[in-house]
Amino acid sequence: MLRKTTFIAASVGLVLAAMGLGAPAMAATTQAELKSVNWSFEGPFGKFNQEQLQRGYKVYHDVCSACHSMNLLSYRNLADKGGPFYSDKYPNPNESPYAKAIAMDFMVPDIDTDTGDAITRPATPSDHFKAPFANEYAAKAANGGSAPPDLSLMAKAREGGPRYIYSILTGFADAPAGLMVPPGKYYNPYFPGDLTSFWNGPGKAPTGGFISMPPPLTPDRVTFDDGTKATVAEEAWDVAAFLAWAAEPHQEERKQTGFAVLIYLLLFSGVLYASYRTIWRKISH
Amino acid sequence: MANTVVETSPPAGHGDDPNRRDFIHIVAATAAVGGVVAFAWPLIDEMNPSADVLALSSIEFDLSKVTVGQQVVVKWQGKPVFVRHRTPKEIAEAVHDDHAPMKDPATDASRHKPGKPEWLIVIGVCTHLGCVPNFGLGDYGGWLCPCHGSVYDTAGRIRKGPAPLNLFLPDYTFLSDTKIKVG
Amino acid sequence: MSGHSTYEPKTGFTRWLDARLPIVRLAHDSFVDFPTPKNLNYWWTFGGILALCLGIQIVTGVVLAMHYVPNANLAFNSVEHIMRDVNHGWMIRYIHANGASMFFLAVYIHMFRGIYYGSYKPPREILWILGCIIYLLMMATAFMGYVLPWGQMSYFGAVVITNLMGALPIVGKSITTWLWGGFAVDNPTLNRFFSLHYLLPFMIAGVVVLHIWALHVPGNNNPRGVEVKSKEDTVPFHPYYTVKDGFAMSVFLILFASFVFFMPDALGHPDNYVPANPLVTPAHIVPEWYFLPFYAILRAVPDKLTGVLMMFGSIGLLFVLPWIDRSKVRSMRYRPTARLFFLIFIVVCLLLGLCGSHEPDDKIFANLAGFNLLDSNLNSYTWLSRFLAVYYYAFYAILFLLSWIEKPLPVPESISAPVLKAGKKG
């Protein structure tokens, strides 16, 4: 009787919880369902594809870095194990010629120790990625009042992560007739927003919201060194994968360690269970 | 798991061999210890230098800033490094004393890179108790440590005073005639 | 059961030590030879699991504190420094963050076990109250810990909860300013939260020692709820329950590891990966899952002060449970009516958690228009929270009534007494 009641109660609770806890709805904010894409790093066996990360870095460098900083990354991270420019020949990322070569192209602010003046010098692998703007106020001023967010953690800072990034970048659409688009904003069905007060047309307001970023990707905007055709979808896919790596560079190591730990724990539980049964064999309980 | 039967002894035929019975417990205990050690290792290793600290473990330095007879002090891995541009007189004096009696004998040639005797690069920490010696003072024109009076010569070798060893030599390489990488 | 110590030091050193500080004797009497009812089921393993969780949180926390910087300008980046640059930092951080969730999962199971089997009844009232104190300390610790990464949710969670104090009449504003150390949640608040977050777990450890001491005076409760009558009813704690607790801990760690290594951010909120910005409020402020039921009760009441009182009252009622439920029968195995209401209580708590995760105005059934009752739509989580909160409070009243009017099933004579019918244990 207890078992049956518990089972029913638990199932009811779980079903109701599953109904709701998956995606807490926001009052009147709408967002189109995110597009589905395959990621090589998805799932417990997922791994980053190094070529994709290199292409993604190129998209970030050529397109996004003009406005978006990535302050939590250093040039040496690009040559870290699992990163876009890692090579077995250079296990120490600080020695990697790839990291040095990429860093050298950037002039970063520094102070001349002899005179105390502010100067710029070529970056080294230990430097953080060069930011496009000196500070947040400069970023806001140059972008119509909205500072472009830092991208270091974007793949973890939004519901849906890389799927969200991919959907936004490939999802810019013409505003439907009857939608009043404020100057400096762009309609994107995948950007969460409430458009009811901007809608003059029939029926319900369209899903989505206004993003301050103009569509950044166009076909062949970037030339990939490995010759991959640079469609908007490809560029978006690659940069989203790169951002997923940037948000969590240790992802592969995490999953590999997880396997070892789970296998150990399963075996250990088995051994402990056998030990438990052996000890309790003679007791009536 | 309520049993209505009280078992008195295990049915005959079951291995009651103490060795076999204890084995599983030994395995369990060993696995537990192994697990604890495996868990403890990252907690200890996290205190080792992190990746950003390691990234700053070497620095590059432009030698053209150091005039003859002068020294520049550079900070490397939190310690001062003396980059001394020696005069020919200082070099000669150091070579002359190569076999003089001293606590930590060393030739002048062993203290600089081959072909570059004018550049003496040492860690500026007294080997006695860690103070920073003063440039140019002391009987040999090398360094004098103000804390307890250790005297180093122009090759950084300990000549007088309580310090037991010569000033330490850091790992460095010449990237070009005017640039070195320390560490 | 407090009884005669059976420890006999065998070596010269252990005899010497025992004469000066009988700590080995204490350990032996408490955890080796301690007579424990032989019929404890797996619900009893959660005490040991909780001790494991506390140990893990303290160890990982102390290590994190070696790298974390409690300054509003540096905190967020110091956490990312741990995640990216510190050797194994990502793992230690994820263990600590998910460890808090696992700690609460275990404590809720442990508490529900206590209610079901009547472990709070005489003579274990103090044991139960000490447990409630541990629970309060855990909630304070977790709340402050969540503020430390200084993400959007950290910041605004601190804003919402500290602003609650403002509801208190007369002293409310002064208390809030005192808590903040300023005119809003800012660096002084963060710094003191870090200090207290480091301190409180050691206070928890102290209360845990008292909790175990209070347990060892009468001895453990058991699923039948009947007292130990003879030695036949018990087994020594070691090896019987050390191995059983060990096995349960190992299984618990499997769940823990699944979260840490394969879904480390599942129980968190993406907004906490955005650095705190006092000028931009997130669309949707929610606490961590283990606070959701209380959040729902808080928001169910339109008046701020009453909401705060109802929320704290829901925890306060736990403290006086031993005096609310006066049934002479301990275990709900033999109290079918109480058991039914208790199972509904569990479902209500889960549903309250669901309510806490939604915006109050969200519709429960999307396609149903519903109609307005008083200040909100009946088809809204606000009204559902209200009904559920009423049941939450009513449950205690029901237990009080059942103390007198319930007809329990016959309780076995003792722990070892055979059960009359197969499967009757229920």
Side-chain angles (χ1 to χ4, degrees):
Chain A
M1 170 63 193
L2 166 68
R3 292 217 175 91
K4 186 160 162 229
T5 326
T6 320
F7 180 73
I8 293 173
S11 323
V12 167
L14 275 169
V15 164
L16 284 168
M19 256 169 53
L21 273 173
M26 282 166 263
T29 315
T30 56
Q31 181 186 30
E33 199 186 310
L34 299 178
K35 299 185 187 186
S36 247
V37 194
N38 283 332
W39 306 102
S40 65
F41 50 86
E42 247 174 345
F45 302 100
K47 276 191 166 52
F48 289 113
N49 178 320
Q50 197 175 40
E51 276 99 33
Q52 181 173 45
L53 293 183
Q54 288 175 10
R55 292 195 299 270
Y57 173 69
K58 189 130 206 269
V59 176
Y60 167 72
H61 175 271
D62 290 357
V63 183
C64 321
S65 62
C67 303
H68 288 279
S69 58
M70 280 184 89
N71 292 327
L72 295 173
L73 267 88
S74 302
Y75 295 109
R76 59 179 170 85
N77 292 129
L78 294 170
D80 273 336
K81 189 144 194 291
F85 298 100
Y86 172 73
S87 158
D88 281 327
K89 264 174 57 183
Y90 304 101
N92 181 352
N94 303 300
E95 307 284 309
S96 162
Y98 305 113
K100 286 188 185 174
I102 291 175
M104 248 176 12
D105 278 340
F106 298 92
M107 296 298 283
V108 289
D110 202 350
I111 297 184
D112 187 337
T113 46
D114 291 329
T115 62
D117 294 332
I119 54 162
T120 60
R121 58 155 176 87
T124 60
S126 61
D127 285 312
H128 285 271
F129 275 23
K130 182 178 176 200
F133 302 106
N135 51 61
E136 194 179 325
Y137 304 104
K140 272 196 197 167
N143 290 283
S146 317
D150 185 279
L151 295 180
S152 316
L153 285 168
M154 189 53 68
K156 286 208 283 191
R158 299 289 185 272
E159 201 76 55
R163 269 179 77 196
Y164 171 83
I165 296 169
Y166 177 81
S167 302
I168 291 272
L169 292 175
T170 55
F172 282 93
D174 287 327
L179 186 65
M180 245 176 35
V181 182
K185 302 272 187 205
Y186 305 87
Y187 170 64
N188 191 313
Y190 299 95
F191 190 73
D194 181 3
L195 297 175
T196 33
S197 40
F198 298 91
W199 180 237
N200 288 327
K204 278 171 57 173
T207 46
F210 294 129
I211 192 172
S212 306
M213 171 176 75
L217 300 175
T218 51
D220 290 324
R221 174 87 169 71
V222 176
T223 319
F224 290 127
D225 296 332
D226 62 0
T228 310
K229 189 154 162 36
T231 58
V232 170
E234 178 73 37
E235 291 164 348
W237 190 43
D238 293 338
V239 80
F242 171 72
L243 290 179
W245 168 81
E248 218 202 321
H250 291 283
Q251 201 184 121
E252 280 178 17
E253 192 190 339
R254 161 168 68 81
K255 291 173 179 175
Q256 283 162 5
T257 314
F259 263 113
V261 168
L262 278 185
I263 288 172
Y264 166 82
L265 282 175
L266 282 164
L267 291 173
F268 185 49
S269 301
V271 164
L272 273 178
Y273 186 68
S275 189
Y276 160 72
R277 290 298 294 254
T278 313
I279 289 173
W280 278 83
R281 218 181 323 171
K282 293 220 204 65
I283 308 287
S284 72
H285 61 282
Chain B
M1 263 210 274
N3 243 330
T4 54
V5 174
V6 176
E7 293 176 353
T8 45
S9 59
H14 265 239
D16 233 24
D17 177 18
N19 288 339
R20 217 182 110 219
R21 204 171 57 213
D22 283 352
F23 179 66
I24 189 75
H25 307 318
I26 295 173
V27 170
T30 314
V33 169
V36 168
V37 169
F39 177 59
W41 166 243
L43 297 172
I44 295 169
D45 190 35
E46 54 81 25
M47 285 172 70
N48 275 325
S50 55
D52 57 327
V53 168
L54 291 174
L56 294 171
S57 61
S58 63
I59 54 158
E60 291 179 9
F61 184 70
D62 182 5
L63 294 171
S64 56
K65 293 202 217 167
V66 193
T67 52
V68 182
Q70 293 303 315
Q71 104 173 350
V72 167
V73 183
V74 178
K75 195 159 128 173
W76 170 71
Q77 290 193 353
K79 296 176 282 250
V81 170
F82 296 153
V83 179
R84 183 170 184 155
H85 195 164
R86 298 195 292 180
T87 62
K89 181 160 169 290
E90 287 170 342
I91 298 170
E93 281 170 357
V95 173
H96 176 74
D97 279 350
D98 263 355
H99 299 286
M102 54 178 94
K103 261 196 241 181
D104 185 12
T107 59
D108 183 72
S110 67
R111 309 276 300 159
H112 62 78
K113 291 280 181 220
K116 299 216 188 290
E118 68 275 23
W119 293 110
L120 182 69
I121 294 159
V122 291
I123 297 181
V125 175
C126 183
T127 56
H128 180 224
L129 290 174
C131 298
V132 182
N134 294 325
F135 172 72
L137 300 176
D139 290 346
Y140 297 85
W143 288 275
L144 167 67
C145 186
C147 290
H148 307 98
S150 295
V151 177
Y152 298 87
D153 65 16
T154 48
R157 297 173 296 203
I158 182 67
R159 302 303 291 272
K160 273 194 198 165
L165 298 168
N166 300 334
L167 293 176
F168 296 129
L169 299 166
D171 252 327
Y172 70 97
T173 44
F174 275 89
L175 297 175
S176 72
D177 276 342
T178 52
K179 213 175 206 177
I180 52 163
K181 182 177 93 149
V182 185
Chain C
M1 294 298 219
S2 340
H4 177 62
S5 169
T6 56
Y7 173 62
E8 275 170 27
K10 295 284 191 320
T11 71
F13 171 68
T14 45
R15 274 193 292 271
W16 178 87
L17 184 62
D18 191 50
R20 287 152 179 75
L21 182 71
I23 195 167
V24 180
R25 179 178 299 272
L26 177 65
H28 175 94
D29 293 343
S30 308
F31 300 112
V32 176
D33 230 14
F34 189 75
T36 317
K38 63 180 183 177
N39 62 334
L40 300 185
N41 58 33
Y42 280 100
W43 298 114
W44 261 261
T45 56
F46 280 87
I49 286 172
L50 283 166
L52 176 71
C53 284
L54 181 63
I56 291 175
Q57 290 301 96
I58 288 179
V59 164
T60 53
V62 166
V63 160
L64 286 173
M66 295 183 181
H67 303 275
Y68 171 75
V69 181
N71 177 290
N73 301 319
L74 302 170
F76 187 87
N77 285 2
S78 75
V79 173
E80 279 300 306
H81 163 68
I82 290 169
M83 295 292 286
R84 291 163 189 272
D85 287 330
V86 172
N87 301 329
H88 318 289
W90 57 270
M91 183 168 66
I92 299 170
R93 193 270 177 115
Y94 275 146
I95 289 177
H96 196 75
N98 287 288
S101 284
M102 298 305 292
F103 205 167
F104 276 94
L105 174 66
V107 94
Y108 286 137
I109 294 175
H110 186 72
M111 289 160 78
F112 281 138
R113 180 281 308 255
I115 300 178
Y116 185 83
Y117 290 106
S119 305
Y120 53 84
K121 287 177 184 295
R124 296 181 180 87
E125 303 96 314
I126 293 278
L127 171 66
W128 173 260
I129 289 174
L130 287 170
C132 294
I133 293 174
I134 294 172
Y135 179 52
L136 272 181
L137 287 173
M138 275 175 66
M139 289 199 286
T141 310
F143 162 65
M144 292 189 292
Y146 193 65
V147 176
L148 301 182
W150 211 241
Q152 277 285 69
M153 219 42 97
S154 305
Y155 179 84
F156 284 96
V159 166
V160 168
I161 298 302
T162 49
N163 268 313
L164 289 182
M165 298 302 142
L168 296 168
I170 307 164
V171 291
K173 193 160 185 308
S174 315
I175 290 186
T176 321
T177 309
W178 172 76
L179 274 177
W180 286 338
F183 305 109
V185 171
D186 203 347
N187 193 46
T189 327
L190 175 61
N191 233 320
R192 64 192 53 181
F193 277 7
F194 177 62
S195 169
L196 295 174
H197 182 73
Y198 205 125
L199 167 71
L200 251 46
F202 296 99
M203 295 178 61
I204 291 176
V207 182
V208 166
V209 168
L210 295 178
H211 190 66
I212 296 176
W213 183 8
L215 170 69
H216 281 193
V217 170
N220 299 64
N221 188 15
N222 67 85
R224 286 189 175 183
V226 294
E227 289 297 310
V228 166
K229 301 276 189 340
S230 69
K231 274 197 92 67
E232 208 195 48
D233 290 340
T234 66
V235 288
F237 189 77
H238 176 72
Y240 294 91
Y241 287 109
T242 43
V243 74
K244 188 169 186 179
D245 278 0
F247 170 63
M249 288 183 207
S250 187
V251 173
F252 182 78
L253 287 175
I254 292 175
L255 179 67
F256 194 164
S258 307
F259 275 106
V260 167
F261 294 101
F262 295 103
M263 348 171 229
D265 294 308
L267 297 169
H269 201 286
D271 269 339
N272 227 27
Y273 279 108
V274 179
N277 183 348
L279 305 177
V280 176
T281 311
H284 198 213
I285 301 174
V286 259
E288 288 286 87
W289 68 267
Y290 36 83
F291 289 142
L292 289 175
F294 302 107
Y295 199 52
I297 295 178
L298 174 73
R299 292 189 305 184
V301 186
D303 176 54
K304 190 171 169 186
L305 179 59
T306 322
V308 172
L309 292 174
M310 295 294 283
M311 182 178 78
F312 284 124
S314 65
I315 304 165
L317 273 177
L318 285 169
F319 280 78
V320 292
L321 183 56
W323 292 275
I324 293 178
D325 175 18
R326 295 154 185 267
S327 165
K328 295 284 184 282
V329 176
R330 262 199 204 114
S331 169
M332 285 189 186
R333 256 195 203 174
Y334 311 105
R335 304 179 60 193
T337 322
R339 186 200 310 149
L340 176 65
F341 284 109
F342 176 63
L343 291 177
I344 299 174
F345 179 74
I346 297 179
V347 173
V348 162
C349 288
L350 291 171
L351 286 177
L352 272 171
L354 180 69
C355 291
S357 73
H358 279 264
E359 287 291 294
D361 292 332
D362 280 356
K363 288 195 179 157
I364 304 173
F365 301 104
N367 299 318
L368 204 58
F371 59 91
N372 273 353
L373 183 62
L374 299 177
D375 60 347
S376 13
N377 196 313
L378 204 56
N379 178 27
S380 73
Y381 283 98
T382 305
W383 271 108
L384 180 58
S385 305
R386 289 171 182 168
F387 289 128
L388 294 170
V390 164
Y391 182 85
Y392 182 99
Y393 274 86
F395 175 66
Y396 293 90
I398 290 167
L399 281 181
F400 182 69
L401 290 173
L402 287 179
S403 313
W404 282 286
I405 66 175
E406 183 181 32
K407 193 167 180 309
L409 299 174
V411 175
E413 288 261 314
S414 74
I415 289 170
S416 306
V419 173
L420 296 169
K421 276 203 293 227
K424 181 71 166 90
K425 84 160 169 33

